[in-house]
Amino acid sequence: MTTHNRINRRRFMTTTAGSALMISALGTSRAFAADPIKTAGIYTVPVEQQWVSRIHKAALTAQERGDIDYTFSENVSNTDYARVLREYAEAGNTLIIGEVFGAEQEAREVAAEYPNVAFLMGSSFKEDAALPNFAVFDNYIQDASYLSGLIAGSMTTSGNIGMVGGFPIPEVNRLMHAFMAGALEVNPDISFQVSFIGSWFDPPKAKETAFAMIENGADVLYAERFGVSDAAKEQGILAIGNVIDTQSDYPDTVVASAIWHFEPTLDKAIAEVQAGTFTAADYGVYSFMKEGGTSLAPLGTFEGKVPAEVMALVAKRTEEIKSGAFTVTINDEEPKSS
């Protein structure tokens, strides 16, 4: 486990402001509204990993604003997750953020032990009213994923698209399905190769899987994991990014990316903690495009290279998604190769 800016509990408990935060219940106003919220992030992967990097970025932004005092641990194993949760709760953190996909039950048990701490956790499950201080979120960026699919469908010449994911869990499945729906809207004859590598961070394995898809005819790759765009770059084909914009690293490879903006999710939680109204809720809605939680990255080096009629459709659908006139279907079932 790698830990940054760790807190000394004894030193914290001897400070007046720290004691005020510890006795402040979620149902009451914070003693000092202007004080930064003591916040901890707990991540099972490096903060450079796509998904976690967006949470980390939003937390750093909130800290720069003065809203939170942020510390974090990365590379925490699922088996160690509950212990680290308790450690940060005992250290007086008022808000704890993280991702509990591999430690759901254990994390909820810890939250029950600390009712005055707000837990905002990435989860495949929903909130439980019986656990009012445990809220969930997920990256519902299917809107931008669908838009990136429209572009991918127009850029493939073989009609064969390869898709490499980490695990077939809802947060991944819904993005793949949205991407596929967009591609099929532009070209109904497209076929897909779908594979999961069983890891959130294994670039060599993702790259190897992508190579196999290229050998099997794919000329566009959906890079849900790191490593896929490397394979595309080496073989001279195109890739579509996910969660972060990597085009600066792959200027001749990555055409478009569906970007996740965690700021609306975290800012909502911060406001609720500040107001003393934080409660069990599904924060996934704040990842929707209409909430500012997702966007399509600029085409950059591919500006003018995507068919104009497709970009017109992308612009039209973007406005319709924001207005509510068009809804991207959320399908959490495991996608299959066609």
Side-chain angles (χ1 to χ4, degrees):
M1 178 185 74
T2 303
T3 307
H4 301 256
N5 302 327
R6 297 294 294 277
I7 303 301
N8 182 298
R9 183 183 176 219
R10 182 173 298 175
R11 184 179 64 192
F12 173 84
M13 291 296 290
T14 60
T15 64
T16 303
S19 298
L21 279 176
M22 284 295 288
I23 65 174
S24 175
L26 293 178
T28 61
S29 298
R30 293 172 62 240
F32 301 99
D35 290 346
I37 297 169
K38 196 174 180 63
T39 302
I42 309 176
Y43 312 118
T44 62
V45 294
V47 291
E48 291 82 12
Q49 189 257 15
Q50 300 109 298
W51 196 85
V52 162
S53 74
R54 306 307 289 177
I55 302 173
H56 184 60
K57 176 179 180 292
L60 291 175
T61 298
Q63 179 167 253
E64 290 170 2
R65 285 199 311 260
D67 288 343
I68 66 175
D69 180 9
Y70 172 62
T71 186
F72 68 95
S73 293
E74 57 186 343
N75 295 315
V76 177
S77 67
N78 288 325
T79 55
D80 205 28
Y81 207 90
R83 181 190 66 78
V84 179
L85 274 175
R86 285 192 180 90
E87 187 173 300
Y88 276 125
E90 288 288 335
N93 287 281
T94 307
L95 174 62
I96 300 179
I97 57 179
E99 22 98 25
V100 297
F101 298 102
E104 292 277 356
Q105 185 59 37
E106 297 89 342
R108 291 171 189 252
E109 289 173 359
V110 173
E113 298 172 16
Y114 299 93
N116 292 343
V117 178
F119 293 82
L120 178 65
M121 293 290 159
S123 171
S124 292
F125 296 90
K126 295 300 183 181
E127 74 280 10
D128 181 356
L131 192 59
N133 63 322
F134 192 95
V136 299
F137 68 86
D138 212 338
N139 63 326
Y140 282 83
I141 62 171
Q142 66 282 342
D143 297 330
S145 295
Y146 158 79
L147 297 177
S148 71
L150 292 175
I151 293 173
S154 72
M155 298 298 282
T156 177
T157 56
S158 68
N160 187 324
I161 295 178
M163 307 181 69
V164 181
F167 292 92
I169 65 172
E171 68 145 340
V172 175
N173 298 344
R174 72 176 68 106
L175 307 187
M176 285 187 162
H177 278 295
F179 172 86
M180 295 164 79
L184 289 171
E185 183 174 336
V186 173
N187 184 350
D189 296 324
I190 287 176
S191 62
F192 300 94
Q193 300 177 61
V194 180
S195 184
F196 298 92
I197 63 173
S199 173
W200 292 130
F201 195 73
D202 190 344
K205 189 172 184 179
K207 185 176 180 180
E208 179 184 353
T209 303
F211 275 141
M213 292 179 172
I214 296 170
E215 290 178 4
N216 200 34
D219 67 346
V220 173
L221 296 176
Y222 176 76
E224 199 270 328
R225 294 292 100 195
F226 276 150
V228 177
S229 294
D230 292 299
K233 178 180 178 180
E234 289 186 20
Q235 295 298 310
I237 69 169
L238 303 177
I240 300 294
N242 179 58
V243 176
I244 62 176
D245 185 2
T246 58
Q247 195 189 71
S248 61
D249 296 320
Y250 308 94
D252 299 317
T253 303
V254 175
V255 184
S257 298
I259 307 302
W260 183 30
H261 306 289
F262 189 67
E263 287 78 2
T265 301
L266 181 57
D267 291 351
K268 175 64 175 177
I270 289 172
E272 295 294 342
V273 173
Q274 288 174 334
T277 54
F278 186 92
T279 190
D282 183 359
Y283 278 62
V285 295
Y286 298 105
S287 289
F288 284 32
M289 183 169 283
K290 64 182 180 181
E291 299 290 345
T294 186
S295 67
L296 189 67
L299 295 185
T301 56
F302 282 88
E303 193 72 46
K305 298 179 182 179
V306 179
E309 62 272 18
V310 172
M311 290 312 300
L313 178 59
V314 168
K316 178 175 182 289
R317 288 283 188 257
T318 298
E319 292 307 313
E320 291 173 341
I321 289 169
K322 290 179 178 180
S323 71
F326 183 86
T327 301
V328 177
T329 300
I330 296 176
N331 184 349
D332 287 348
E333 297 179 1
E334 180 177 345
K336 303 293 185 181
S337 298
S338 54

